[in-house]
Amino acid sequence: MTKLKTSIFTLFLLLLISCNSSKTTTNNNTVATNTKEIKFNINLNDRFKDTFKVKVTVPKLKDENNIFQFAATAPGTYQIMDIGRFVRSFIALDKKGKIIQTTQVSTNQFKISNPKKVKTIVYEIAETYDNPVEKNKIYAMAGTSIEENHALINGQGVFGYIKGLQSLPMNISIDYPDTWEAGTALVLNDNGSYTANNFDHAVDSPILLGELTKATTNVEGTAIDIYTYSEKGLVQSHQILASMEGMLKSASKFLKGLPVDRYTFLVFLETNNLQPKGAWEHSYSSEYTLNEKPWNEMEQSFKDIAAHEFFHIVTPLNIHSEIIQEFNFIKPVASKHLWLYEGITEWASHMMLFRSREKDLDSYLATLRRKSYISQNYFDIDYSLLDLSLDSFTEDGQKQYPNIYMKGALIGGLLDIRLLELSNGERGLIDVVNELAKMYGPNKAFNEENFFNEFTELTYPEIKEFIDLYIKKATPLPLKEYYQKIGIKYTPEKFLFEVNTEATEEQLKLRNKWMEKL
């Protein structure tokens, strides 16, 4: 591997490999047996042994509520987590404090011998940062951390749920030092606790606590909060906010208005070189775990990542299949449509910055060059996006997974050009995405098996061939042919995209539509 290859590959893995997405769901595989809430208390004043001390107060249970389940995976991570591996103790108690027998029956499940008598459950669960595992390592941004001056809580890494009660509302109270700040998209109750609609909502709502800085603003009716933990104090929330306002306004123009009324950025910066670094997107927040550097050294890369994460408010929040809507925390189930959730999102993040002039044409073309170079030099060119999606939880699939941010984004760009060509410049990919978001929305899933057909019916018959060739199959991408349509020359030997100074009038006309299509 040459020095150039190594540096480019490392840069893009750090920025993009770890981006994942998650969403709140209102329908689940399990059905609540009552309408009461389940209470979780986390004691962060006791941070001994790098474990979260959790107390669960349960409503009246039935015989069928005999399993306490920890997550095997989580929405958008595309990895096996097996959070039960981090449980250090697990005890069930009756109302008098007498221990009720429990047995760990699998990695992630604890069986309760007499659930009808259970009043409380107490357990300790280790943080993932300082407790590394040999196999199925937890992504940093999906992990947990508990130290003297901060704590990072990702719901699936701390909470569990009782069989049959996954849909039950959760009241979450956290004890932590008075000098700490807490940041989360969850709404704070009058008594200082939080309420999650259900377990899925808790997983969808990470919490960052500690010695944080905070900045707030309002962008076209959307309340924005930024909370930052910076180990050495090199980055402050007000610096991030100043850089983010342009991106947020770009997103609003690109999407014809922001589809959320509030949004929280949780930024976790350390110098411990946890790999892979990245970000995890949620319905009303996004969380960033990155290597700490002076802000001027990480500003542009952060803006690119944040643009990607923020666009996830469209996919998968407003456009997703039933596999995402009814997420299975016990057994990973792959979706065919990772091309949409991550590939199209990555295309959109750069395109919206380009079309709003946050990024100039040369910078955008340089981004295409890097993605083309990495995709063709580091990944199996015979591995289609459909294969990548369906194999995402497997060892082979994980090796190919980062290509979704390279090849997936390149395919998004080609699809945009093809749609503009078929509509004489009047309807590009973002127009179709906005239409789909209105058709579905956060509480209506599309059909996993039929979505390719639905996408074709919503657009043009020619798009079926495009999907068959470049998403379902691994046909070499027609980068040269397609970018020539908009007067941009592509040289495959150099992976070089550059403006064609001899473009025809027709090519220039389509290029202008491509550049200005907001």
Side-chain angles (χ1 to χ4, degrees):
M1 185 180 292
T2 66
K3 184 176 181 181
L4 174 61
K5 280 188 176 184
T6 301
S7 62
I8 292 178
F9 187 57
T10 301
L11 171 64
F12 269 79
L13 283 185
L14 290 178
L15 296 184
L16 297 175
I17 185 175
S18 306
C19 166
N20 299 279
S21 60
S22 173
K23 64 173 294 298
T24 300
T25 59
T26 55
N27 300 312
N28 302 289
N29 293 327
T30 54
V31 180
T33 57
N34 58 54
T35 58
K36 298 179 181 179
E37 65 183 6
I38 185 168
K39 297 181 179 180
F40 285 79
N41 174 262
I42 305 171
N43 184 3
L44 295 183
N45 289 321
D46 181 358
R47 300 186 291 283
F48 184 59
K49 294 184 179 179
D50 290 335
T51 61
F52 292 88
K53 283 75 175 177
V54 183
K55 177 182 178 181
V56 186
T57 304
V58 303
K60 187 173 179 60
L61 301 182
K62 298 181 179 181
D63 288 337
E64 58 264 33
N65 306 132
N66 64 339
I67 296 291
F68 193 95
Q69 175 76 48
F70 290 96
T73 185
T77 59
Y78 307 104
Q79 67 164 178
I80 302 297
M81 290 185 167
D82 284 341
I83 295 300
R85 295 177 295 170
F86 297 90
V87 177
R88 298 295 179 256
S89 67
F90 186 91
I91 301 172
L93 303 166
D94 65 16
K95 63 181 180 180
K96 293 182 179 181
K98 183 178 178 180
I99 294 177
I100 297 172
Q101 183 181 351
T102 61
T103 305
Q104 187 170 5
V105 294
S106 68
T107 301
N108 302 306
Q109 293 182 330
F110 289 79
K111 186 174 182 179
I112 304 167
S113 62
N114 193 344
K116 287 183 176 181
K117 289 187 176 182
V118 174
K119 182 62 178 178
T120 59
I121 295 170
V122 292
Y123 60 86
E124 289 190 33
I125 187 166
E127 65 159 297
T128 63
Y129 278 23
D130 291 342
N131 292 278
V133 289
E134 291 298 319
K135 186 178 181 181
N136 295 329
K137 298 178 181 180
I138 309 297
Y139 291 151
M141 65 289 187
T144 57
S145 178
I146 180 170
E147 300 294 343
E148 280 305 304
N149 64 350
H150 74 268
L152 174 63
I153 297 173
N154 276 297
Q156 85 292 340
V158 175
F159 305 117
Y161 65 88
I162 296 172
K163 178 184 177 182
L165 302 181
Q166 182 179 342
S167 298
L168 205 64
M170 292 171 54
N171 179 272
I172 302 168
S173 62
I174 307 174
D175 301 325
Y176 57 88
D178 292 338
T179 57
W180 283 19
E181 181 91 52
T184 180
L186 291 171
V187 176
L188 189 66
N189 298 322
D190 292 339
N191 64 0
S193 67
Y194 302 98
T195 298
N197 298 335
N198 45 45
F199 177 76
D200 303 58
H201 188 198
V203 173
D204 188 42
S205 308
I207 306 170
L208 179 62
L209 309 97
E211 298 173 1
L212 317 178
T213 59
K214 179 183 178 181
T216 63
T217 191
N218 190 290
V219 176
E220 300 181 13
T222 298
I224 304 295
D225 291 321
I226 299 177
Y227 294 89
T228 304
Y229 168 73
S230 181
E231 182 181 12
K232 295 183 177 179
L234 299 181
V235 179
Q236 305 290 309
S237 291
H238 70 85
Q239 295 173 288
I240 300 175
L241 177 60
S243 300
M244 296 293 287
E245 287 192 281
M247 183 278 288
L248 293 168
K249 290 177 181 177
S250 299
S252 182
K253 291 180 181 178
F254 200 60
L255 299 171
K256 296 180 173 62
L258 299 178
V260 292
D261 59 359
R262 56 189 171 83
Y263 197 86
T264 303
F265 292 88
L266 304 176
V267 184
F268 184 93
L269 305 175
E270 279 193 333
T271 57
N272 59 7
N273 294 315
L274 283 169
Q275 298 295 341
K277 296 287 189 177
W280 193 9
E281 168 61 24
H282 301 274
S283 300
Y284 291 93
S285 63
S286 50
E287 172 207 327
Y288 305 80
T289 56
L290 303 170
N291 288 321
E292 184 182 33
K293 299 177 182 179
W295 182 239
N296 65 321
E297 295 180 19
M298 61 184 301
E299 180 178 10
Q300 186 55 56
S301 62
F302 185 91
K303 187 183 294 187
D304 287 345
I305 297 172
H308 176 108
E309 301 308 322
F310 192 74
F311 193 83
H312 275 304
I313 58 178
V314 180
T315 57
L317 175 58
N318 281 280
I319 312 173
H320 56 265
S321 81
E322 66 272 8
I323 288 178
I324 303 297
Q325 183 90 0
E326 301 173 3
F327 191 79
N328 189 334
F329 286 94
I330 300 175
K331 181 181 178 181
V333 180
S335 170
K336 296 180 179 181
H337 301 294
L338 194 61
W339 69 276
L340 172 68
Y341 306 142
E342 296 295 346
I344 300 305
T345 295
E346 176 63 10
W347 162 79
S349 65
H350 293 281
M351 182 56 80
M352 73 182 186
L353 292 175
F354 164 57
R355 287 180 178 165
S356 64
R357 306 301 181 260
E358 289 283 313
K359 176 179 288 191
D360 61 27
L361 179 58
D362 287 342
S363 297
Y364 184 77
L365 296 181
T367 298
L368 294 180
R369 183 186 188 189
R370 287 192 292 269
K371 289 186 181 299
S372 177
Y373 177 86
I374 293 172
S375 180
Q376 295 185 51
N377 281 277
Y378 292 98
F379 300 101
D380 184 349
I381 60 174
D382 295 323
Y383 216 88
S384 72
L385 291 193
L386 181 59
D387 291 336
L388 194 160
S389 297
L390 295 177
D391 294 347
S392 57
F393 286 103
T394 69
E395 187 174 343
D396 288 341
Q398 283 290 297
K399 292 177 183 178
Q400 302 300 321
Y401 180 81
N403 203 19
I404 196 66
Y405 303 107
M406 311 302 161
K407 186 176 182 180
L410 292 170
I411 288 175
L414 296 177
L415 181 56
D416 183 44
I417 292 172
R418 184 64 170 137
L419 289 168
L420 287 169
E421 179 187 30
L422 291 170
S423 65
N424 294 316
E426 297 304 316
R427 189 179 181 222
L429 180 54
I430 189 56
D431 300 294
V432 176
V433 167
N434 282 330
E435 290 171 27
L436 287 167
K438 291 179 180 178
M439 285 174 57
Y440 292 104
N443 296 316
K444 181 181 178 182
F446 63 70
N447 182 277
E448 171 78 16
E449 296 299 322
N450 197 47
F451 184 67
F452 285 127
N453 292 332
E454 289 183 21
F455 194 93
T456 299
E457 291 171 4
L458 186 63
T459 55
Y460 307 95
E462 293 87 347
I463 297 302
K464 181 183 185 303
E465 182 183 24
F466 183 98
I467 291 172
D468 289 343
L469 290 175
Y470 308 119
I471 297 177
K472 293 183 178 181
K473 299 178 182 178
T475 308
L477 301 185
L479 294 170
K480 184 173 183 178
E481 174 191 349
Y482 272 54
Y483 277 92
Q484 184 178 356
K485 298 175 188 290
I486 57 173
I488 291 176
K489 182 180 178 181
Y490 175 62
T491 306
E493 298 80 10
K494 299 179 179 180
F495 304 97
L496 182 62
F497 293 80
E498 55 189 340
V499 173
N500 182 0
T501 57
E502 298 180 355
T504 66
E505 183 176 344
E506 183 178 357
Q507 290 169 339
L508 289 173
K509 182 178 179 181
L510 191 60
R511 186 204 299 170
N512 288 335
K513 291 286 189 179
W514 173 75
M515 293 180 66
E516 302 294 339
K517 190 69 181 172
L518 284 174

